[in-house]
């Protein structure tokens, strides 16, 4: 049985490195992909232990999904990572995927998107997803921005 989500990058790396549920064959590749994710999502990434959780029951699936995103889609040069994150915020707002929206708002801030740009993208979703989706997403953004402000003094 896997422990609850770790809350630091160091703890996540340690879990991947020491997990008896991840084979030696795949351990290094999972660590490599996790490092790519860390660079994008930063130290406040609440999703970071998915690598550990998923690898515990299907290592190959974990690697395939991670490779698609972190070694494939996120490396394409058609959009900047900032633009890609703003697109993700729009899609996640429209689909009301609140857990993932939190992660991608933080990622957008990590790659240079301003609070105003994020707010505008969420605002644009009123026309496509409706006022409730906008309100939910703005509440999430507000909480994240307040936490940032508190961290930065």
């Amino acid at each position: 049985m896997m422990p609850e989500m770790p809350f630091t990058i160091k703890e996540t790396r340690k879990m991947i490195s020491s997990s008896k549920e991840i084979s030696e064959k795949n351990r290094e590749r999972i660590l490599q992909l996790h490092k790519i994710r860390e660079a994008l999502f930063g130290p406040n990434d609440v999703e970071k232990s998915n690598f550990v959780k998923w690898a515990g029951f299907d290592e190959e699936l974990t690697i395939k999904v991670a490779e698609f995103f972190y070694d494939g889609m996120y490396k394409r040069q058609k959009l900047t990572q900032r633009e890609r994150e703003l697109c993700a915020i729009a899609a996640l707002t429209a689909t009301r995927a609140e857990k993932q929206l939190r992660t991608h708002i933080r990622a957008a801030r990590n790659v240079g998107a301003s609070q105003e740009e994020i707010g505008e993208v969420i605002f644009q979703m009123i026309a496509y997803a409706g006022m409730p989706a906008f309100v939910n997403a703005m509440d999430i953004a507000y909480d994240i921005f307040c936490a940032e402000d508190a961290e930065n003094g």
Side-chain angles (χ1 to χ4, degrees), residues 2-104:
M2 295 302 298
E4 289 299 310
M5 269 192 207
F7 291 101
T8 67
I9 291 169
K10 184 178 179 182
E11 288 171 327
T12 302
R13 282 189 195 139
K14 183 178 177 184
M15 286 182 70
I16 293 169
S17 297
S18 64
S19 174
K20 293 177 180 151
E21 297 179 16
I22 300 173
S23 70
E24 286 300 319
K25 174 184 134 200
N26 292 323
R27 187 179 318 279
E28 189 58 35
R29 183 64 178 143
I30 291 171
L31 278 167
Q32 289 170 345
L33 293 164
H34 180 71
K35 287 177 185 174
I36 295 168
R37 182 182 174 84
E38 286 175 14
L40 174 63
F41 292 105
N44 295 323
D45 176 21
V46 297
E47 300 292 320
K48 63 184 160 272
S49 71
N50 283 344
F51 281 93
V52 177
K53 290 189 299 187
W54 298 345
F57 67 86
D58 193 332
E59 291 178 21
E60 295 301 320
L61 175 67
T62 300
I63 290 170
K64 293 290 182 202
V65 169
E67 285 175 340
F68 172 77
F69 286 107
Y70 311 123
D71 220 14
M73 188 174 84
Y74 289 168
K75 285 189 173 181
R76 291 175 50 85
Q77 300 298 309
K78 305 296 182 190
L79 298 173
T80 65
Q81 194 57 45
R82 187 184 135 283
E83 292 166 333
R84 190 175 289 115
E85 288 303 327
L86 291 172
C87 290
I89 290 169
L92 295 167
T93 295
T95 59
R96 299 183 190 183
E98 294 180 6
K99 181 178 174 183
Q100 293 79 11
L101 180 60
R102 288 181 193 284
T103 297
H104 284 277

Side-chain angles (χ1 to χ4, degrees), residues 118-142:
I118 292 168
E120 182 63 23
V121 166
I122 294 169
F123 170 71
Q124 293 294 318
M125 293 303 99
I126 290 174
Y128 305 100
M131 185 60 95
F134 163 78
V135 170
N136 290 343
M138 285 301 289
D139 283 348
I140 290 167
Y142 175 80

